[in-house]
Amino acid sequence: MYEDSWYNFVPDHTHKRNPSISQPSGHRRRESLLQQPNGNKQPDAIEPLEELFEEPETSIDPPEATLSRRAKSYSDFYHVVRAQLSKDATAAKKRRKKAKERTLDALMVEKLEKGLRYQGSPQLESLDSDLINASQQEYLLYRDQLEMTERHLEKLISDSNGALDLLTSLADSFRAVESQTSSFQAQCDDLLSEERRLQKLADEVGTDLHYYAYLDGVTRRLNAPGASRLVNHENFGEILTNLDACIVFMVQHPDYRDAESYLARYQSLLTKALHLLEVGFTGHLERISSEISKQIAATQSDSARHALAYGRFEEMVLEVDGLVANAQRVIRSCYDQLGNPLTGQSFDYYSNTAVSIFSSYSDVRDRDLRPMTQHDLEVFKKDVKEINVETACRNFIKQCYERSYDEASLFAKIFSIEPQYTVDPQSAYVALRNQHKALVNTANISPIANTLQSVLQTSELHTICNLLGWITNEYLLLEYDEEETRYSLHCHDLTARLLIEYLWPFTDNSFDAEVTKAISKAPVSLDSLKITPVVNGVASSNAHPITKRALELLAMYDQAMPKERSSSSVVFRIIDETILAMQRVESRLKSNKAAIPDPDPDLFMIKNLLILKNGLVSLEIGDVRSQPAAMQHFGQIWDTLSPQNWMGLFRGILGGTLSLGLWSSAASTPPTANNQATPARTQVQTEQDANEKLDELLRQSIYTFTQRWGTLINAAKSGKRGAKSLVATEKELDEKLLTAFGGQPEVVAKLKEAIQINAQAQKEMKAEKGAR
């Protein structure tokens, strides 16, 4: 801090003047201690200073800045700042105290010269103070700022502490309020729960009481004068709904007081209300009918009648919209949109009223449209006489279908349901079908069937088949590109029921009568027993008349019926009766005991049975008329007979009897003890259907024919006495085969092959017997 020169000018106490030397008296200027000695006098040798004990110089500079520990909270920061400020204040006091005492403290002088040293202390102290102040001026400013900041921070800390105390007090208050509020909320929740329970109980009591209290009011309303006018208003539906609800409630709570009595009274009131509705709706229809029927009877124009019967009638019915709405409400209470029953507690009450309304409606419509239906019948009968039965029936069916569609549309608009076919006795369809009226509607198609049957009963069978074929193709089978409309669907349903319920059974009966007449009881003339040559290559041209008629009946039935009915009892009866007729003819032919009867009974059976089998197979493939001249299925039949296996079968001949083996449907039957076959021509199982019976008889006839001619061939080859020559026998065989199967060379060839196989088998069997 001080330069070395300061220490060089300090007086040396060893060279001081002796105080005993006298000084001149008087005032003289004090000699400066800093003045150099005058003259050239050399200074005495300077003794070295004694050991100097100095304390380390204490710096008066501001303390070095250090990074204080970061406070974790405001209170921690406050304590850290207070501790740091206290520490700094203590250090500053120590520095100031040391600064005042450090002028000569750096040198440790002897006590003898202490007074001399203190003589210059005031000046030094002044200088030191000035220097210190000058050097620390800037830091003093910082100190003042820090002190002001300290006071400000202490103020902030004090305010923060106050705020924290306030917040703590508020938190305590809030916790106390919360505890009180929770208790209050729990009490309120309990009160609300109790209130809801009481409210629910009160509602239940009030609801139950309503079912009892409603009785008096509705009784007065339904028994009051003019109660019939209630059915014209919409609030009548509310009465029905409330009565239903009361009935259901009493049924569900039979243990309630007087529940049975109230139930009976409510049911009685419901019956009365429904009766009022029925009477009101019937009266409304009668008023309309009295006007519409007169206008229809007064006009002769078909278009005017149609407009009155449907357009005007619908408009007048729907004018009283409240009454119609109530009627629809009753009907929809027991039926759905399609007329199916809706089971419920009051179904019987509503269904009885609905059936009564339907009956009244049907009576009114039948009476109003009677002039139109009578006119349609007159036109139909006129067409039958003047044109033909088939055309008249077609026109009548078209007209009835249009009338039925119009009636169905009107019925749906008035009653808001569209009854569909069902067998449920509680359905709306059955209720309408039981209304036997002359007017055709959705459920009543019996007038169409009765009118058609009355005419077709005296008509020829092909007329009936043509009409049924037209109805099926026109209405029942839709083309692939034909769009389905409401009218087409309606006609489809009517046609299906008309055919299934009426026309198909009627046609089956007609076919049965024709089969009995033309096949079962047909007379057999001698001319019909001969096998004539084939005409124009048509295989069936030389068939027996009964077989021809059977083929015609099969063709007509296939034309009249869809393929789903091709396996009906009628088809099998035709085949069965034809087989029986052929067996009767065969028995008559066998009465001729000639060696070679003419005609050959077995060949007769083969010819007619093959033609019948071919017609039946043609019916199965669906087109019997496309190739009527050719026996296109004979190859299939012949393959079933398997002539390649005949050699082994013929070798089973023992005692003149052939085991049928694979030929018969009874092939799996074990042989008897003598290895003879049990079946015979007359032993056809009764449980077989017509196809099996036909195949069985055909196999037996082919076997008998080939066996007999095989014997004749072998006799001719062996030159047996009385036998014809081989050439004559073969020529006669060729003539018979060509006569019977002219134009079918494959049939002739296969029969000849079978005869040769049979002859060879007989020859080998005879050789085996001779070898034994």
Side-chain angles (χ1 to χ4, degrees):
M1 178 177 181
Y2 301 101
E3 298 179 359
D4 293 340
S5 59
W6 284 92
Y7 299 98
N8 294 333
F9 291 117
V10 177
D12 189 359
H13 295 281
T14 59
H15 295 283
K16 287 183 179 180
R17 289 179 300 177
N18 194 345
S20 61
I21 300 176
S22 60
Q23 294 293 340
S25 59
H27 174 79
R28 41 181 310 196
R29 183 177 182 183
R30 183 180 179 183
E31 185 178 1
S32 174
L33 295 176
L34 300 176
Q35 182 179 1
Q36 297 291 336
N38 297 325
N40 295 329
K41 184 179 181 178
Q42 295 294 330
D44 295 337
I46 302 174
E47 296 179 0
L49 295 174
E50 295 180 358
E51 185 179 358
L52 181 63
F53 294 94
E54 292 184 342
E55 293 181 359
E57 182 180 0
T58 302
S59 174
I60 61 174
D61 296 333
E64 184 179 358
T66 58
L67 182 62
S68 300
R69 182 173 62 89
R70 182 177 180 182
K72 294 183 179 179
S73 64
Y74 184 85
S75 60
D76 293 342
F77 175 73
Y78 169 73
H79 294 302
V80 170
V81 172
R82 291 294 301 269
Q84 185 65 32
L85 293 176
S86 177
K87 184 178 178 182
D88 292 343
T90 304
K93 290 180 180 179
K94 289 182 179 179
R95 286 195 301 272
R96 286 194 298 271
K97 182 177 181 180
K98 288 181 180 181
K100 293 179 180 179
E101 296 177 352
R102 68 181 300 177
T103 305
L104 295 176
D105 290 346
L107 298 175
M108 296 181 65
V109 296
E110 297 179 358
K111 296 180 179 180
L112 296 176
E113 299 177 356
K114 190 176 294 185
L116 180 62
R117 187 180 54 181
Y118 286 154
Q119 291 179 359
S121 294
Q123 185 177 4
L124 291 175
E125 291 178 1
S126 176
L127 292 174
D128 291 340
S129 177
D130 292 339
L131 289 174
I132 290 172
N133 291 333
S135 62
Q136 293 184 349
Q137 184 65 37
E138 182 178 359
Y139 300 105
L140 293 175
L141 179 61
Y142 290 157
R143 185 194 63 185
D144 295 339
Q145 292 177 352
L146 289 175
E147 291 177 353
M148 184 178 62
T149 303
E150 180 183 5
R151 290 192 299 270
H152 181 65
L153 292 176
E154 289 178 352
K155 177 63 174 173
L156 291 177
I157 291 172
S158 177
D159 294 342
S160 299
N161 290 335
L164 290 175
D165 295 339
L166 179 59
L167 291 175
T168 302
S169 176
L170 290 175
D172 295 339
S173 300
F174 282 136
R175 281 191 290 270
V177 171
E178 182 181 4
S179 62
Q180 297 176 2
T181 304
S182 300
S183 176
F184 179 73
Q185 183 178 3
Q187 296 177 3
C188 291
D189 292 339
D190 294 339
L191 292 175
L192 290 175
S193 300
E194 182 66 16
E195 181 183 4
R196 285 192 295 269
R197 188 186 68 81
L198 295 176
Q199 182 66 35
K200 182 179 179 181
L201 181 60
D203 292 341
E204 292 177 354
V205 172
T207 303
D208 295 349
L209 183 61
H210 168 74
Y211 293 111
Y212 286 88
Y214 185 72
L215 179 63
D216 294 336
V218 71
T219 302
R220 288 193 299 269
R221 294 186 67 182
L222 294 178
N223 292 326
S228 59
R229 292 191 296 270
L230 289 174
V231 298
N232 296 328
H233 303 282
E234 294 182 357
N235 56 4
F236 182 78
E238 297 180 1
I239 296 177
L240 297 177
T241 302
N242 293 334
L243 288 174
D244 273 343
C246 293
I247 292 174
V248 171
F249 178 82
M250 295 303 170
V251 171
Q252 292 178 350
H253 302 86
D255 54 341
Y256 278 22
R257 183 177 180 180
D258 297 334
E260 185 176 354
S261 174
Y262 275 84
L263 175 61
R265 296 179 67 180
Y266 278 131
Q267 290 175 343
S268 176
L269 291 175
L270 178 61
T271 302
K272 183 176 182 60
L274 294 176
H275 178 69
L276 291 176
L277 177 63
E278 178 186 344
V279 172
F281 191 83
T282 302
H284 179 56
L285 292 178
E286 292 293 341
R287 288 190 295 272
I288 297 174
S289 175
S290 61
E291 179 180 349
I292 292 294
S293 60
K294 295 179 181 179
Q295 295 179 3
I296 292 177
T299 183
Q300 299 297 326
S301 172
D302 293 340
S303 59
R305 285 183 172 181
H306 186 275
L308 290 171
Y310 295 100
R312 180 56 180 164
F313 183 84
E314 175 188 350
E315 181 182 355
M316 295 179 69
V317 169
L318 298 180
E319 283 180 353
V320 187
D321 52 352
L323 177 61
V324 175
N326 291 327
Q328 292 177 357
R329 188 187 191 96
V330 169
I331 293 173
R332 292 304 298 270
S333 297
C334 55
Y335 300 118
D336 62 7
Q337 181 64 31
L338 301 179
N340 298 316
L342 298 175
T343 57
Q345 189 64 42
S346 304
F347 173 78
D348 294 337
Y349 297 94
Y350 285 108
S351 61
N352 291 335
T353 302
V355 171
S356 299
I357 292 176
F358 291 158
S359 178
S360 301
Y361 176 81
S362 299
D363 292 340
V364 169
R365 294 299 295 169
D366 184 69
R367 183 173 63 250
D368 292 347
L369 272 66
R370 187 166 299 171
M372 301 173 65
T373 56
Q374 292 292 336
H375 176 72
D376 294 341
L377 289 176
E378 293 174 359
V379 173
F380 171 71
K381 294 177 180 179
K382 182 179 179 181
D383 291 343
V384 169
K385 294 180 180 180
E386 297 181 357
I387 306 176
N388 57 63
V389 174
E390 185 177 344
T391 303
C393 291
R394 290 185 180 185
N395 295 334
F396 182 73
I397 290 173
K398 290 180 180 179
Q399 196 168 24
C400 289
Y401 279 8
E402 292 175 358
R403 182 70 49 76
S404 174
Y405 179 74
D406 294 336
E407 285 293 325
S409 301
L410 180 62
F411 188 88
K413 292 178 181 178
I414 295 177
F415 298 109
S416 187
I417 62 170
E418 299 179 10
Q420 300 297 320
Y421 174 80
T422 180
V423 295
D424 192 340
Q426 294 182 333
S427 63
Y429 175 84
V430 174
L432 291 173
R433 188 179 61 183
N434 294 333
Q435 307 292 334
H436 300 289
K437 306 296 179 182
L439 181 64
V440 177
N441 54 38
T442 302
N444 185 29
I445 59 174
S446 58
I448 305 177
N450 295 334
T451 303
L452 294 177
Q453 290 175 2
S454 63
V455 176
L456 295 176
Q457 194 168 7
T458 58
S459 301
E460 297 182 357
L461 187 60
H462 70 86
T463 301
I464 300 175
C465 295
N466 291 338
L467 179 62
L468 262 66
W470 174 82
I471 295 176
T472 303
N473 296 326
E474 183 72 16
Y475 298 108
L476 198 60
L477 304 177
L478 298 179
E479 298 293 336
Y480 70 94
D481 57 344
E482 185 176 355
E483 183 180 359
E484 290 186 353
T485 60
R486 291 179 58 88
Y487 178 73
S488 64
L489 294 176
H490 180 80
C491 294
H492 180 275
D493 295 340
L494 289 181
T495 303
R497 289 188 282 114
L498 180 64
L499 292 175
I500 294 174
E501 297 177 8
Y502 298 99
L503 295 186
W504 281 350
F506 173 80
T507 305
D508 290 347
N509 294 332
S510 299
F511 268 92
D512 288 339
E514 184 65 21
V515 169
T516 302
K517 175 183 176 182
I519 297 178
S520 301
K521 297 182 179 181
V524 179
S525 62
L526 294 176
D527 295 336
S528 63
L529 299 179
K530 298 180 179 180
I531 300 178
T532 59
V534 175
V535 179
N536 298 327
V538 179
S540 60
S541 60
N542 60 346
H544 192 271
I546 294 178
T547 305
K548 291 181 180 179
R549 185 56 179 168
L551 293 178
E552 292 175 358
L553 293 178
L554 290 174
M556 286 190 295
Y557 196 83
D558 178 69
Q559 173 190 0
M561 302 295 172
K563 293 305 174 186
E564 291 76 10
R565 301 199 78 236
S566 61
S567 59
S568 67
S569 60
V570 174
V571 175
F572 293 107
R573 186 168 186 272
I574 294 173
I575 298 172
D576 186 65
E577 292 295 333
T578 304
I579 291 174
L580 294 176
M582 292 299 99
Q583 287 179 332
R584 292 194 297 270
V585 174
E586 181 189 20
S587 299
R588 186 172 178 179
L589 292 175
K590 284 186 176 181
S591 62
N592 187 0
K593 301 299 182 181
I596 303 178
D598 187 24
D600 191 313
D602 297 316
L603 186 62
F604 177 84
M605 290 294 291
I606 293 173
K607 170 66 178 179
N608 287 278
L609 292 181
L610 279 177
I611 291 176
L612 186 61
K613 179 66 177 180
N614 184 78
L616 183 61
V617 176
S618 298
L619 177 62
E620 291 177 352
I621 64 174
D623 191 1
V624 71
R625 297 170 296 169
S626 60
Q627 299 176 346
M631 298 177 65
Q632 67 271 22
H633 300 293
F634 181 77
Q636 177 182 349
I637 301 169
W638 196 263
D639 292 339
T640 304
L641 299 178
S642 302
Q644 291 79 4
N645 299 325
W646 286 1
M647 179 64 73
L649 296 173
F650 290 143
R651 288 176 180 175
I653 299 175
L654 294 174
T657 304
L658 176 66
S659 176
L660 295 178
L662 296 176
W663 291 64
S664 174
S665 61
S668 59
T669 304
T672 59
N674 58 357
N675 204 21
Q676 293 183 352
T678 56
R681 180 172 300 190
T682 59
Q683 294 176 337
V684 180
Q685 299 178 2
T686 57
E687 65 270 12
Q688 291 177 336
D689 61 17
N691 281 294
E692 294 177 352
K693 186 176 181 179
L694 178 61
D695 293 342
E696 179 73 17
L697 294 175
L698 186 58
R699 282 191 291 266
Q700 292 178 4
S701 298
I702 293 175
Y703 161 70
T704 305
F705 177 78
T706 56
Q707 184 187 32
R708 186 175 72 253
W709 279 96
T711 303
L712 295 176
I713 293 295
N714 287 335
K717 289 182 179 180
S718 62
K720 187 177 180 180
R721 180 181 298 181
K724 295 182 179 180
S725 64
L726 180 61
V727 176
T729 302
E730 292 180 348
K731 181 179 179 181
E732 185 177 359
L733 176 61
D734 291 341
E735 289 178 356
K736 289 182 177 294
L737 292 178
L738 290 176
T739 301
F741 302 102
Q744 289 89 38
E746 70 281 0
V747 179
V748 176
K750 288 183 180 296
L751 287 175
K752 286 184 176 182
E753 180 185 1
I755 293 172
Q756 294 297 330
I757 294 174
N758 197 316
Q760 182 66 23
Q762 293 179 25
K763 185 177 180 180
E764 292 180 359
M765 185 61 62
K766 185 176 181 181
E768 290 179 1
K769 289 182 178 180
R772 294 183 192 145

